[in-house]
Amino acid sequence: MKDVIILAIESSCDETACAIVKNGKEILSSKVTTQIDVHTLYGGVVPEIASRIHVENISIIIKEALKEANMSVDDVDAIAFTQGPGLIGSLHIGVLAAKTLAWAYNKPLVPVHHLSGHIYANAFVGDLQFPLLALVVSGGHSELVYMRQDYDFQVIGSTLDDAIGEAYDKVGRVLNLPYPGGPKIDKLAKEGKPIYKLPKPKVDSPLDFSFSGLKSAIMQSISRLEKKGEQLNVADMCCSFQETALSALWDRVEYALNIYDVKQFVLAGGVAANSRLREIVQEKMEKDHPNISYIIPPLRCCTDNAAMIGASGYIAYQKGIKADYSVGAMASMDLDNHFD
Ligand code: KG4
Ligand code: ZN
C-alpha cells in the first residue's frame, strides 16, 4: 500500500508546531516552538500576545519540519490542522497557514479536534485497541473518553470546573512558582511528603471531576500556617496537592474501567507528562487490570505538538474527513461525533 504522508499544524494555545507523519505511526519530523518564556512574565498565557508570536513563527516552523523530513509540500498527501478547541486567535493562525498551503499546492485539508490529537499520540507507541478508554488531562480539559472504534468518541466524564492542568498552574501561582506550575510541582513533589491534609474533591457523579476546591483549600492552609507563625514547606505542599488530585483522578478512571468493558486504556494530554501520574497508571493497570492493555504516550508527545495532529489526521484522512476553504477555527468544539 502507498505510504500516506501528512503535514500537520498545531497552534491552539502557546505552542506553534508542525510535523510530518507517515502512515499515522512514524514521525518524520516534529518541530515545536514554545512561547512559555514570554507568557511566564505575565503568569499565564496572554491570548493577544500568543497570536502575534504564532504569526512570527508559523512559516519558520513549517519550513523547519519539511527540511528535517527532507521533503517539500509536493511530497505530502494532505494538510492536517487543529480546528479547535483553543484560543481563537491562536487557532486562526494555524488554520490560515493550512488553508494557504492546501490552496497553493492543491492538497486536501483535514480538520482535527485537538483532544483527538492527544488521544492518537498513543498510536506512536502501539496499535490502539477498541473498545478503548482514554483519560485526557491537559491545561484546558479533564475528560474520560470511551471509544468503541477509531474516531468514535464518547465523552463519559468531564470536569465540572477547572481542568487538572489548570489546577496545577493555579496552585503553582499560589505557591509563587513560575508558569506553568505543572512541571515545577511535579519536580518539587518528589522532594516532599504529603503531610498537609487536603480534602479530596467531592462530586456527586462518579465519572466527573472537580479541581477548583483544591486551590482554595491550599490558600486556607497557607493562611492558617501564617496565623500560627509557621513556615510553609513548598515541596510538602506540592506533594500533598499532587497526591490528592491524582488520587481523585484515578478514582474516576477506576470506576470507568469497572463499568465499561474495554480492551485498552490510554493516557493523553499535557498532564500525561506528570511522572507520578505515569507511575500510578503503570502500577494500577498492572496490579488491578492485568487483562486490559495500556499505553502511556512518549513524553515529547504529551504536551502540545503537531505529530499528534498528524496521527489523528491520518485516521481522519482515511475516513474521508475533509474541509473546504470556508473552514474556520472553533474556540469551543465538542469531541462527541464531531465530524459526523
Ligand atoms: O496539552 P497541553 O500542552 O495544553 C493544553 O491543551 O492545555 O497541556 C498543558 C498543561 C499545563 O497545565 C501544564 O502545567 C501541564 O499540562 N503539565 C503538567 C506537566 N507537564 C505539563 N502537569 C503536571 N505535571 C507535569 N509534568
Ligand atoms: Zn493540548
Side-chain angles (χ1 to χ4, degrees):
M1 225 167 56
K2 188 191 164 295
D3 287 332
V4 175
I5 309 290
I6 306 276
L7 182 154
I9 295 172
E10 154 66 38
S11 68
S12 64
C13 189
D14 58 344
E15 266 91 23
T16 323
C18 179
I20 314 288
V21 174
K22 185 166 139 188
N23 299 329
K25 294 254 160 215
E26 199 185 322
I27 304 174
L28 301 183
S29 66
S30 176
K31 293 281 177 190
V32 183
T33 44
T34 175
Q35 312 175 355
I36 281 178
D37 290 355
V38 178
H39 298 294
T40 294
L41 304 173
Y42 305 94
V45 177
V46 184
E48 178 66 17
I49 296 178
S51 328
R52 282 163 191 250
I53 306 181
H54 282 306
V55 174
E56 286 167 18
N57 289 342
I58 194 99
S59 322
I60 301 168
I61 208 87
I62 293 170
K63 270 192 207 138
E64 283 183 1
L66 284 164
K67 190 170 168 215
E68 192 174 300
N70 204 11
M71 284 189 174
S72 84
V73 185
D74 284 316
D75 303 320
V76 311
D77 295 283
I79 314 288
F81 64 97
T82 304
Q83 186 182 9
L87 299 172
I88 192 71
S90 293
L91 286 164
H92 198 59
I93 309 305
V95 175
L96 270 179
K99 284 207 255 189
T100 309
L101 285 180
W103 179 78
Y105 291 85
N106 195 22
K107 302 285 177 187
L109 256 181
V110 181
V112 172
H113 190 291
H114 182 76
L115 295 189
S116 84
H118 276 302
I119 294 172
Y120 277 92
N122 287 286
F124 295 124
V125 180
D127 287 336
L128 299 192
Q129 290 168 33
F130 302 97
L132 169 154
L133 179 75
L135 173 66
V136 187
V137 276
S138 73
H141 298 267
S142 300
E143 265 150 35
L144 276 166
V145 182
Y146 174 71
M147 294 176 72
R148 227 178 303 251
Q149 57 194 356
D150 256 330
Y151 252 63
D152 173 5
F153 306 96
Q154 195 188 335
V155 177
I156 57 167
S158 55
T159 182
L160 303 177
D161 40 59
D162 290 352
I164 187 163
E166 193 178 353
Y168 265 93
D169 297 340
K170 285 183 177 171
V171 168
R173 219 170 296 154
V174 169
L175 298 176
N176 287 322
L177 302 173
Y179 172 84
K184 318 277 177 323
I185 291 177
D186 185 1
K187 202 157 160 243
L188 280 169
K190 290 193 181 113
E191 298 157 21
K193 291 191 197 68
I195 58 162
Y196 298 112
K197 294 277 160 278
L198 298 171
K200 215 167 170 175
K202 281 205 187 75
V203 186
D204 291 339
S205 42
L207 290 171
D208 289 330
F209 307 99
S210 165
F211 294 107
S212 66
L214 272 176
K215 188 192 87 174
S216 321
I218 290 171
M219 287 167 76
Q220 282 162 12
S221 248
I222 295 174
S223 78
R224 269 198 303 274
L225 286 171
E226 276 167 0
K227 272 192 204 127
K228 285 197 266 173
E230 286 174 25
Q231 191 78 28
L232 167 77
N233 182 312
V234 177
D236 287 343
M237 187 55 93
C238 287
C239 185
S240 307
F241 159 72
Q242 178 159 280
E243 288 305 313
T244 312
L246 296 184
S247 149
L249 191 72
W250 194 259
D251 284 352
R252 267 62 194 168
V253 176
E254 190 66 50
Y255 189 87
L257 286 174
N258 287 323
I259 57 168
Y260 283 83
D261 191 16
V262 296
K263 280 215 179 92
Q264 192 172 63
F265 169 75
V266 305
L267 189 60
V271 183
N274 183 271
S275 59
R276 180 72 182 122
L277 178 58
R278 294 169 84 86
E279 209 172 79
I280 292 173
V281 170
Q282 193 177 350
E283 263 171 39
K284 301 279 185 190
M285 291 308 293
E286 281 173 17
K287 189 164 130 296
D288 301 334
H289 303 281
N291 299 324
I292 302 177
S293 71
Y294 68 95
I295 308 183
I296 298 174
L299 266 184
R300 71 171 182 143
C301 291
C302 290
T303 43
D304 290 348
N305 64 90
M308 66 184 199
I309 303 302
S312 175
Y314 168 75
I315 304 290
Y317 176 75
Q318 303 286 29
K319 291 195 164 290
I321 296 169
K322 276 191 209 159
D324 60 30
Y325 298 134
S326 67
V327 69
M330 289 172 79
S332 57
M333 187 173 171
D334 283 344
L335 182 61
D336 295 80
N337 307 319
H338 57 287
F339 290 124
D340 276 359

